[in-house]
Amino acid sequence: KRVSMVVNGLGVAEPTNIFYRRCVAPLADDLEEIQAMGMENDINLYIIDSGLWACGGEAEKSEPTMEFFRAQRSLGGTTLVIAHQNSDDNTKKPYGNVMWVNSPRSTIQVIKAQDTPFGTPAEIGLYQRKVNFGIGFQPIGIKATFDVAKNQRWSSEDAVTFGKADVHESPDLAKGLPLNQKILHELNSGRKTVVELTDTIE
């Protein structure tokens, strides 16, 4: 359903090289069958949703976490792991053991603006919190507009379209910006005193 909505919004044909496998066991216990599926279909990108389920529980402990990442690395190719995070508004790390930060080559935090009533575009910010190679990308704002039929669960005509959003202009998304970028954004409109910057940026 989600792929259908995206391709409808993009106006392209539905891809035939996306495969879905419902898993109920930890990745390490299911590894051989997933590897076989990957070889059979020449899969070079795995999306694991979510890391906490694939870990098998106790994500706050090092051994289950390390067992998950050992299994993940044995898949080969590239892996995108979707992780949960704490409910703390100031958190910038995935929920669980420190290895959820140390093991990945790159971590990207996704923040959704909360003040998006139904029927209005949803604004999302992407913030690179860790990168092992090169320089991390600047925060990216995305606006997702859902065109869905009301009073209906799902229709093959439903679509989602994407555009750009300014992370500086959304109070919810601006919270994820580093302090220096908040200051720079405010100074782009002219000189300000320290007191004015403090009041604006809180």
Side-chain angles (χ1 to χ4, degrees), residues 144-166:
T145 303
F146 295 86
D147 182 13
V148 297
K150 294 183 179 180
N151 302 321
Q152 187 171 320
R153 287 188 176 183
W154 179 76
S155 165
S156 60
E157 303 301 318
D158 290 348
V160 56
T161 55
F162 299 95
K164 292 182 179 180
D166 189 342

Side-chain angles (χ1 to χ4, degrees), residues 1 61 67 70 90 94 97 110 115 124 148-149 161 173 185:
K1 293 177 182 179
K61 295 184 178 180
E67 184 177 27
R70 283 192 292 267
N90 296 317
N97 186 270
V110 181
D115 53 348
I124 304 164
V148 297
T161 55
L173 301 185
H185 176 72

